[in-house]
Amino acid sequence: MSRKNSGQPSNPISLSGAAAGWKHSAAMRWLLLLLFVFLFYFSISPRLVPETYDITLNAKSDKDIKAPRQELDEKATLQAQDEAAEKVGPIYSIVALRNEALIDEIFTRIEELNLDDLITVSDKVDIYRRVIPERVDQYIVNFVTANKGSETYSEGLLAEMESVILSQKYSIPEETFYKIPNLTSDQLLEMRSVGREVVRKLTGESLTQAETARTKVAELVNASSLSQRTEREIVQELARLAILPNKFYDKQATEDAKVEAKQNTPPVLIKQGDIVVKAGQVITDSIYERLDSLGLLQERKSYLPQLGVLLFSIIFTLALYGYGELTTNAAGAQKRTNVQWVMLLLIFALNILFMHLVALTHSEEWPFVGYLAPIAMGSMLVTLLLDMHIGLVSSFLFTLLASLILNVEQEHIFDFHYGFVAAVVTFTSVLAIHRASQRSSILKAGIMVSLFGSVAVLALMLVNPEPSRVQLVQSVIFMFSSGLLTAVLVIGLMPFFEVTFGILSALKLVELSNPNHPLLRKLLTETPGTYHHSLMVGNLSEAAAESVGANGLLCRVGSFYHDVGKTKRPLYFIENQNASGNPHDKLDPKVSASIIIAHAKDGADMLKAHKLPKPIRDIAEQHHGTTFLKYFYYKAVKQAQEQGVENQWTEDDYRYPGPKAQSKESAIVGIADCVEAAVRSLNHPKVEQIEEIIGKIIKDRLDDNQYNECDLTLRELDKIAETLKETVIGMFHSRIEYPDDKEIKKMKEAKEIRA
């Protein structure tokens, strides 16, 4: 057993068919680092190193020459501005007329006249016929007068409003005027309330045609508290009169929008990758000067940009490798294998590829399509498949790469906008996914990326002097879609990496812990005692593993499957026996031992047949290591003494075939398995007994060299013992009691005397 705290990686991985030696080969590690340098170099060199050409003035070009960066096209820009202005449709503005105040005035006037007994009914009808329609005209005139010269409504809009309202003015039927004088004050009070509510409700929305809302008046009035037909009819007519259009064509706003559209039209650029000179085109002085300004003349070529890109690539690689190794050593874990670096290289390559593909779609119509790049995909995959630490440094590198690759305009080497957004989404993805336990967590993390990324994009757009509403909406939509695209890609790529590299991620472990898995269902239905025992071992081993920094989830799930081999002969294991008795009582100890020993190998074979990951199979095969079946051995010794025959076996015949535990997780499950069985064999155990038996089990295995091939330290074994003692109380199970030291010593002495 190693005395150095060097740990196992939390996610053991293996690559099918690969030679065992290359996984830790230093030469292969250097080769992979060199591939990282190449990957970074060829990823960013198209943005930073322009291609040069052998150009002769006044000669024909023998090939197409593309622009390495953007150039302004003034003529096309002016044309684009005119087209943008033409696309601006008529703008309609809403005028707050407060129509309920108009109907309120009408009812006030009616109430005043109805209370005047000196005026005859006939005169009142004539007054209503003249005054009520005039109230509408006067109301509009007063509104226009009050708002002239204000910043709220332009004069053109107010003139348009008067014209439209006049054309849509409602005429009250003649018979209505004859009904109004007969209304009492109480009726008018109730009618006023209903009329105000109806008008307020129907004019609360924008109206270009008043008739649309007037058709709904009858329905609302009939559903009101008015009980008399005359009251409802009068209210309906007055409400229709008070309902006026409130949305009008705004010429000034339309012209302002056209001007704004021109101002917000992005300049037309000769984009990176556009053809500057076509094959066969004569190189004129102006073209030659443009090529010179773009740095495309081979005669003036400089190799300094290539050197700069190479240095960038080396720095990126050293940052990734150095931080990865530093965090591994700090955590006390084993160094990362070359398989992990191959997987990391593939993730970086995929993420960079997606960034380049999105960058290729950049156009004038979609200037912010770069926000669609699923930059957080790489960070999420690295965090899920490796760990959070390497996920963080990868996020930093993805941020720098995004600000380089998506920097299509190339005003600066790094684009702050894409860099800032990339930093937000990558670090958000790591924090959102690092404790994921279900596949749905990936979708939730994608939504978090969408939300935080959209907020970051919105903040960047709003701090611009004059943010364009269209560009703002477009960029936010792209960013929100990026988060969802990231989740889809991660969900789709996770099975590929898990299968290809043998990754046992936390998500996969949670899936395997589902009780509906065929093997767990089989374990539950055929060996319920073993199933319950496995659950208890899972609780113990998980707590113990987490106390020493091992993979607790792997221990828990591995415990669920570690005794699945017992399903082949369930009644030969005491937890599954009923009142019919113990079949081992009638068997030869050697046969009993072979049955017990076989369950580890049988379980590993069953797990392999069901294609469970190798770390789970290893726990099932290694959890007993090469431990000694004392009970059956000394039972055989006792039988031989009673029969007076010579022993024909050795202790090796009563040992599990192994292999010994190769990882902390396998060793911890083995200890928890033995502790759970031993404690359940005690009757009314005390804390001191539990502590003693846990210490004895660990010491026996330590003395038996069961931990020589894994990286458990003595300090970690002490932590495991303490954690098991705290967890095991109350979790008892009926098991065969192990013979104590006195009985074992007595049997040994009897054997020596006989020999």
Side-chain angles (χ1 to χ4, degrees):
M1 183 192 71
S2 170
R3 307 267 173 175
K4 182 181 178 182
N5 187 10
S6 56
Q8 281 287 101
S10 60
N11 283 329
I13 62 176
S14 62
L15 188 59
S16 177
W22 80 272
K23 297 178 184 179
H24 303 281
S25 168
M28 179 60 70
R29 182 69 54 86
W30 281 105
L31 176 59
L32 290 172
L33 294 179
L34 185 61
L35 290 176
F36 269 106
V37 173
F38 286 157
L39 174 64
F40 292 138
Y41 181 88
F42 290 109
S43 298
I44 63 179
S45 60
R47 290 286 184 265
L48 303 180
V49 180
E51 185 180 0
T52 57
Y53 301 89
D54 185 10
I55 302 297
T56 303
L57 188 61
N58 297 323
K60 291 184 178 180
S61 174
D62 58 353
K63 63 176 67 176
D64 290 340
I65 300 178
K66 297 181 179 180
R69 61 176 180 271
Q70 293 178 338
E71 283 284 322
L72 178 64
D73 190 334
E74 295 182 1
K75 183 178 180 181
T77 299
L78 292 174
Q79 183 180 353
Q81 289 176 347
D82 292 337
E83 292 176 354
E86 291 177 2
K87 291 180 181 178
V88 176
I91 294 178
Y92 289 81
S93 298
I94 295 178
V95 177
L97 291 173
R98 297 188 68 248
N99 302 64
E100 62 271 21
L102 172 58
I103 195 173
D104 211 16
E105 290 183 7
I106 294 173
F107 270 106
T108 300
R109 183 57 178 152
I110 292 173
E111 188 173 0
E112 290 174 354
L113 287 174
N114 280 7
L115 291 175
D116 193 343
D117 296 333
L118 300 177
I119 304 175
T120 65
V121 173
S122 176
D123 290 339
K124 289 181 181 179
V125 172
D126 292 336
I127 293 173
Y128 289 139
R129 185 183 296 112
R130 173 177 49 84
V131 170
I132 292 178
E134 287 178 353
R135 281 287 175 180
V136 178
D137 298 336
Q138 189 61 42
Y139 186 81
I140 300 302
V141 170
N142 293 340
F143 183 87
V144 172
T145 302
N147 287 278
K148 269 189 177 180
S150 68
E151 296 181 358
T152 307
Y153 307 114
S154 65
E155 293 186 9
L157 179 61
L158 293 175
E160 177 70 12
M161 180 193 72
E162 285 187 278
S163 175
V164 172
I165 288 178
L166 181 61
S167 66
Q168 297 187 29
K169 188 175 179 181
Y170 182 75
S171 296
I172 297 179
E174 184 70 19
E175 61 270 15
T176 303
F177 297 119
Y178 289 92
K179 300 175 182 178
I180 295 176
N182 299 321
L183 297 173
T184 66
S185 296
D186 292 338
Q187 287 177 310
L188 288 171
L189 180 63
E190 186 178 4
M191 291 167 64
R192 180 201 295 260
S193 175
V194 173
R196 280 179 56 86
E197 180 62 23
V198 171
V199 171
R200 185 196 62 79
K201 188 171 184 179
L202 292 178
T203 57
E205 301 177 355
S206 60
L207 294 174
T208 55
Q209 295 293 328
E211 191 60 32
T212 304
R214 289 167 180 166
T215 57
K216 302 177 183 178
V217 170
E219 180 182 355
L220 295 177
V221 172
N222 290 334
S224 68
S225 59
L226 297 176
S227 58
Q228 295 184 18
R229 180 179 177 181
T230 302
E231 294 175 347
R232 293 196 297 268
E233 290 176 351
I234 295 174
V235 170
Q236 290 176 25
E237 297 303 329
L238 294 179
R240 292 189 181 105
L241 179 67
I243 293 174
L244 304 172
N246 57 14
K247 186 176 182 183
F248 311 95
Y249 170 69
D250 194 336
K251 182 179 180 180
Q252 185 62 44
T254 303
E255 292 176 353
D256 292 342
K258 289 181 180 292
V259 173
E260 183 181 0
K262 287 185 176 182
Q263 293 175 346
N264 292 333
T265 299
V268 177
L269 304 171
I270 300 174
K271 296 172 291 184
Q272 180 184 20
D274 282 356
I275 297 176
V276 179
V277 179
K278 294 183 179 180
Q281 185 177 356
V282 177
I283 306 299
T284 62
D285 291 337
S286 61
I287 294 177
Y288 190 87
E289 290 176 1
R290 173 169 288 184
L291 294 176
D292 188 17
S293 66
L294 291 173
L296 297 175
L297 299 180
Q298 195 173 69
E299 60 188 41
R300 301 184 185 181
K301 180 178 180 180
S302 172
Y303 290 96
L304 294 180
Q306 286 92 331
L307 178 60
V309 172
L310 179 61
L311 292 177
F312 268 131
S313 304
I314 293 174
I315 291 173
F316 290 172
T317 302
L318 291 178
L320 181 64
Y321 179 75
Y323 188 83
E325 292 299 300
L326 179 66
T327 53
T328 302
N329 294 333
Q334 209 173 46
K335 287 187 176 181
R336 303 187 192 281
T337 67
N338 290 332
V339 179
Q340 290 174 304
W341 286 108
V342 170
M343 183 175 62
L344 190 62
L345 179 65
L346 181 57
I347 293 174
F348 265 80
L350 286 173
N351 214 38
I352 290 171
L353 174 62
F354 280 116
M355 283 192 269
H356 275 290
L357 291 176
V358 172
L360 289 175
T361 63
H362 180 273
S363 64
E364 296 175 10
E365 293 77 16
W366 310 108
F368 299 101
V369 72
Y371 291 128
L372 183 61
I375 305 169
M377 179 196 73
S379 299
M380 291 177 67
L381 286 173
V382 172
T383 304
L384 287 169
L385 298 171
L386 293 172
D387 57 55
M388 179 180 178
H389 298 293
I390 199 71
L392 289 174
V393 69
S394 297
S395 297
F396 174 72
L397 294 180
F398 288 139
T399 297
L400 296 179
L401 290 169
S403 64
L404 283 166
I405 296 172
L406 299 175
N407 184 18
V408 178
E409 297 181 358
Q410 291 192 328
E411 294 182 5
H412 304 283
I413 294 177
F414 296 94
D415 189 308
F416 169 77
H417 296 81
Y418 288 117
F420 173 71
V421 173
V424 171
V425 299
T426 53
F427 285 101
T428 296
S429 66
V430 172
L431 297 177
I433 204 69
H434 78 283
R435 291 186 178 179
S437 58
Q438 297 179 353
R439 298 281 173 183
S440 60
S441 300
I442 298 177
L443 180 59
K444 294 177 182 177
I447 295 174
M448 292 289 289
V449 167
S450 293
L451 294 176
F452 280 90
S454 298
V455 172
V457 169
L458 185 62
L460 287 173
M461 295 299 295
L462 292 179
V463 297
N464 287 335
E466 295 181 0
S468 167
R469 184 179 303 176
V470 174
Q471 292 180 348
L472 188 150
V473 173
Q474 181 188 113
S475 58
V476 171
I477 289 176
F478 277 134
M479 185 62 252
F480 195 88
S481 302
S482 172
L484 301 181
L485 178 62
T486 296
V488 171
L489 290 173
V490 172
I491 293 173
L493 289 172
M494 277 292 291
F496 165 76
F497 283 102
E498 289 173 341
V499 173
T500 303
F501 294 92
I503 293 294
L504 191 56
S505 64
L507 302 180
K508 185 67 175 178
L509 286 171
V510 172
E511 289 179 357
L512 292 175
S513 67
N514 190 330
N516 290 320
H517 190 282
L519 283 179
L520 294 184
R521 294 285 300 174
K522 180 180 179 68
L523 195 67
L524 173 62
T525 56
E526 298 181 10
T527 57
T530 300
Y531 179 80
H532 182 264
H533 159 72
S534 299
L535 296 182
M536 298 300 103
V537 174
N539 292 333
L540 291 174
S541 62
E542 182 179 33
E546 291 179 349
S547 70
V548 296
N551 191 335
L553 185 58
L554 174 59
C555 286
R556 169 181 283 275
V557 179
S559 298
F560 292 168
Y561 292 93
H562 81 288
D563 274 345
V564 73
K566 292 182 179 180
T567 57
K568 286 197 171 184
R569 306 172 188 86
L571 295 180
Y572 287 89
F573 299 90
I574 192 168
E575 67 266 23
N576 303 311
Q577 294 169 4
N578 48 34
S580 60
N582 189 343
H584 289 290
D585 294 340
K586 301 177 182 179
L587 289 179
D588 182 83
K590 178 67 173 173
V591 176
S592 294
S594 65
I595 293 174
I596 299 298
I597 289 172
H599 87 273
K601 182 65 168 58
D602 291 340
D605 292 340
M606 293 173 67
L607 295 174
K608 186 174 183 179
H610 282 76
K611 298 181 179 180
L612 265 74
K614 190 174 184 300
I616 301 293
R617 304 200 305 266
D618 288 343
I619 289 176
E621 189 174 22
Q622 300 169 12
H623 73 281
H624 282 297
T626 59
T627 52
F628 181 39
L629 289 174
K630 298 179 182 179
Y631 178 83
F632 291 110
Y633 175 78
Y634 289 110
K635 180 179 179 181
V637 170
K638 185 176 181 180
Q639 285 184 358
Q641 290 175 349
E642 292 174 352
Q643 296 171 4
V645 297
E646 195 70 29
N647 293 343
Q648 300 297 322
W649 59 87
T650 64
E651 290 186 3
D652 291 340
D653 295 327
Y654 286 85
R655 283 186 178 274
Y656 283 92
K660 295 179 181 179
Q662 303 296 303
S663 66
K664 287 183 180 181
E665 288 77 14
S666 295
I668 291 171
V669 171
I671 296 173
D673 177 57
C674 192
V675 167
E676 200 277 340
V679 172
R680 284 198 176 276
S681 68
L682 302 177
N683 291 322
H684 309 295
K686 298 180 180 179
V687 175
E688 294 79 8
Q689 291 177 298
I690 293 174
E691 185 175 5
E692 180 181 356
I693 199 168
I694 291 174
K696 181 177 181 297
I697 290 172
I698 294 178
K699 183 178 183 303
D700 286 348
R701 291 203 169 202
L702 188 62
D703 294 340
D704 200 23
N705 299 320
Q706 294 300 315
Y707 307 133
N708 285 6
E709 298 178 16
C710 68
D711 295 313
L712 279 175
T713 66
L714 294 175
R715 178 177 295 179
E716 288 173 337
L717 286 173
D718 290 339
K719 288 184 180 179
I720 291 171
E722 182 64 24
T723 303
L724 288 175
K725 183 192 75 173
E726 295 173 356
T727 311
V728 76
I729 298 173
M731 299 164 57
F732 305 130
H733 213 296
S734 178
R735 286 290 186 96
I736 300 173
E737 288 195 29
Y738 293 168
D740 58 23
D741 289 343
K742 291 183 179 180
E743 183 177 354
I744 293 173
K745 185 176 180 181
K746 189 181 297 183
M747 291 183 178
K748 283 185 177 180
E749 291 175 352
K751 179 180 178 183
E752 291 173 357
I753 293 173
R754 182 170 182 179

